[in-house]
Amino acid sequence: MRTALSVLSLVLLSACASGGRGGAEPGAPSRDLLWRQAHQAMHQDSTRIALAAFQRLAAEHPGTLEGTEARFYLGTLYLDPRSFDAPRALEHLEMYLAADTMGGRPVRRPEAVRLLLLSRNLVLPCEQRTGGLRCEPAVVTRRTPGETVVVRDGDQSAEVARLRREVAERDGTIRELREELQRIRNTLAPRPR
């Protein structure tokens, strides 16, 4: 009973979303079937099937409302962690918003603009991203005799400077000890007569 109600509501919602154009256009039955299959797959968390159906819908019916909206759904599905691909999300969202200039009217324009900004940021390297999308710096742990040093990416220059100071101090100590050793040798060595 619950499954039948879900399927019925899915059919009704997809009929509303398609603008009620039904079978008046050529290819409408296959377009509506693809639309319903794609949404049913999304409802059942079958991302791979939903992606395939939306891709086919966008390729076979590019000038229709369903074909245009399929681009929006492809963009959102590529931002899903299970199928994450920021460049492909960016591509589909740009195509979706470009439909506005080609006579189509993207229904979800405000959402698409926000998702486009998100996908543009996710395509950038971590250090160029803005706000909360910046990546956490990597943590490097090094073991030195008797201590553990934790270094974050931003702190590496300070760590390098500290290590260079330590090496310079040790080199200075070694130089002083060698000079002292040579002085002792000179003192203990037999003097020529």
Side-chain angles (χ1 to χ4, degrees), residues 142 144 149-151 155-164:
R142 295 189 188 112
T144 57
V149 179
V150 178
V151 180
D155 300 337
Q156 283 186 0
S157 59
E159 175 67 10
V160 168
R162 184 185 71 78
L163 290 172
R164 284 188 177 150

Side-chain angles (χ1 to χ4, degrees), residues 65-167:
L65 177 65
E66 293 87 352
T68 303
E69 290 300 305
R71 294 282 181 203
F72 173 79
Y73 285 109
L74 285 167
T76 59
L77 285 170
Y78 281 121
L79 288 175
D80 186 308
R82 294 169 289 190
S83 58
F84 183 75
D85 189 343
R88 291 182 86 181
L90 180 64
E91 174 189 347
H92 287 290
L93 290 167
E94 285 175 338
M95 290 171 73
Y96 176 73
L97 291 170
D100 200 14
T101 60
M102 298 174 3
R105 294 287 177 246
V107 177
R108 295 170 182 80
R109 184 170 184 68
E111 297 94 334
V113 168
R114 298 284 186 261
L115 291 172
L116 182 68
L117 292 173
L118 173 68
S119 54
R120 278 187 181 149
N121 250 294
L122 290 173
V123 170
L124 294 173
C126 288
E127 58 276 355
Q128 294 178 5
R129 294 181 187 173
T130 58
L133 294 177
R134 286 184 163 244
C135 301
E136 284 293 316
V139 176
V140 178
T141 305
R142 295 189 188 112
R143 270 200 188 274
T144 57
E147 67 177 309
T148 300
V149 179
V150 178
V151 180
R152 296 198 179 271
D153 275 348
D155 300 337
Q156 283 186 0
S157 59
E159 175 67 10
V160 168
R162 184 185 71 78
L163 290 172
R164 284 188 177 150
R165 274 192 317 273
E166 285 181 10
V167 167

Side-chain angles (χ1 to χ4, degrees), residues 15 17-25 28 31-32 63-66:
S18 68
R21 293 187 285 194
E25 298 175 25
R31 183 180 68 227
D32 291 340
T64 64
L65 177 65
E66 293 87 352

